[in-house]
Amino acid sequence: MVKSFSDIMAKVKECSPKTVAVAVAQDDAVLEACKAAKERGIANAILVGDADKIKEIAASLSMDINDYEVIDVKDVTEAAHTAVKLVHDGKADMYMKGLIDTKGFLKSVLDKEVGLRTGKPLSHVCVFDVEGVDKLLFLTDVAFIPYPTLEDKVNIINNTVEICNACGIDNPKVAPLAAVEVVNPKMPATVDAVKMNEEGKITGCIVDGPLSMDLAICPEAAEHKGCTDRKIVGDADILLFPDIHAGNICYKAMVHTAKVINGNMITGTKAPVILTSRSDSFEVKVNSLALGAVVAEAMKNK
């Protein structure tokens, strides 16, 4: 089982060569990540965007541009259209956001003719390797669906289970998080958790909720609270947040206060979609590409 990003990197070595298509690639941080990804054997890159600017940035990074395919498309919207079509047509395995706003990038992902839609709702997952936690944590959704309905939460779980499976976690434990671990009719998150448990519509994973964060990730908390008879006793794999506020706050608190390694991607698409923030570190972008490579391999084999 994959328990850390070191394990994910090792798993990448078992994958066939991967290629990422980058939309509007004239971005310093993204090009630096593509360079590192190539050097580490994670993926090659097809760089779509303003070729003059791409070459100028590459030179500043001591990046040999001759090692990459560069497609010169000056217009931002057209560059995204060209890049996503490469993935849609099977000429690249992953799709990555460059110097384009998130709205424009997602519009290309959802393009009816050349996009990567599957008919399933999209969601976002962050994979965390946290010092002191002997497994990867899959946080969702912290960036995409603001106020998920019960149906949304089921879709989010199904999307995230596929990512867990790609990482070698066959029957992940899902913790629908709330402020408490008991049902309170006045707290919709607790009611949704029970419905997900009882209806049996979710397969391929173990769902146990509602759970407070401590019960989800800390075995000692389960003992102290006398909750050792739960299906999840501090050993959750997937942390399902009740809304984007809780998820985003938790994500940023972990990134800025704990020793973590993490990578992010959009799920529910035909191929891995790497959507990182400009504030994300260089390593987060590289980790996201590694995660994407592992998921792309699983999609190919499936």
Side-chain angles (χ1 to χ4, degrees), residues 6-296:
S6 294
D7 293 336
I8 287 180
M9 292 298 181
K11 202 170 180 64
V12 169
K13 304 301 181 184
E14 302 171 4
C15 299
S16 59
K18 295 291 179 283
T19 300
V20 58
V22 184
V24 196
Q26 58 267 25
D27 180 279
D28 300 60
V30 170
L31 285 179
E32 186 180 15
C34 288
K35 178 188 177 192
K38 185 175 181 64
E39 292 172 347
R40 299 180 194 182
I42 296 170
N44 295 313
I46 301 176
L47 309 173
V48 184
D50 188 319
D52 294 332
K53 292 180 180 179
I54 291 171
K55 291 174 182 177
E56 181 181 343
I57 295 170
S60 71
L61 297 172
S62 299
M63 178 180 179
D64 189 350
I65 202 64
N66 294 317
D67 290 340
Y68 304 84
E69 179 179 354
V70 179
I71 301 177
D72 185 25
V73 183
K74 306 294 187 188
D75 181 78
V76 170
T77 301
E78 186 59 30
H81 184 276
T82 301
V84 77
K85 189 175 187 298
L86 291 170
V87 185
H88 178 274
D89 293 347
K91 296 176 181 177
D93 307 285
M94 301 179 281
Y95 184 42
M96 186 176 191
K97 176 181 176 293
L99 194 62
I100 179 174
D101 64 85
T102 298
K103 183 179 179 180
F105 180 72
L106 291 175
K107 186 176 181 179
S108 68
V109 172
L110 295 172
D111 187 283
K112 292 181 179 180
E113 294 182 1
V114 300
L116 303 174
R117 60 168 67 202
T118 61
K120 298 188 296 184
L122 306 188
S123 58
H124 189 268
V125 61
C126 306
V127 182
F128 271 87
D129 178 350
V130 185
E131 184 175 0
V133 179
D134 189 31
K135 60 163 53 187
L136 291 172
L137 296 176
F138 296 74
L139 280 62
T140 189
D141 183 320
V142 310
F144 203 77
I145 303 178
Y147 300 101
T149 63
L150 178 59
E151 183 179 359
D152 289 331
K153 291 174 184 177
V154 172
N155 287 318
I156 290 170
I157 290 174
N158 288 331
N159 285 346
T160 311
V161 166
E162 291 183 7
I163 308 303
C164 287
N165 292 164
C167 293
I169 304 168
D170 295 329
N171 195 36
K173 293 186 174 182
V174 183
L177 296 174
V180 295
E181 56 274 359
V182 294
V183 178
N184 183 336
K186 295 182 179 181
M187 302 174 75
T190 68
V191 178
D192 283 355
V194 172
K195 288 181 179 178
M196 284 186 282
N197 272 322
E198 292 178 346
E199 293 182 6
K201 292 181 179 179
I202 306 172
T203 59
C205 60
I206 298 168
V207 182
D208 181 17
L211 284 176
S212 54
M213 176 66 93
D214 54 347
L215 283 184
I217 64 174
C218 180
E220 291 79 8
E223 292 182 13
H224 292 325
K225 291 186 175 183
C227 296
T228 54
D229 58 338
R230 301 287 296 252
K231 288 182 284 186
I232 294 176
V233 285
D235 57 349
D237 300 293
I238 297 173
L239 303 180
L240 176 67
F241 292 96
D243 58 45
I244 198 170
H245 300 294
N248 197 270
I249 290 168
C250 181
Y251 172 87
K252 289 176 179 173
M254 291 173 69
V255 166
H256 293 289
T257 64
K259 189 170 182 179
V260 300
I261 302 171
N262 68 293
N264 315 318
M265 65 182 295
I266 293 289
T267 60
T269 50
K270 290 181 180 178
V273 174
I274 312 302
L275 174 61
T276 56
S277 167
R278 287 190 64 81
S279 63
D280 283 326
S281 71
F282 153 74
E283 286 294 341
V284 170
K285 292 177 172 62
V286 177
N287 293 338
S288 299
L289 285 167
L291 178 64
V294 169
V295 173

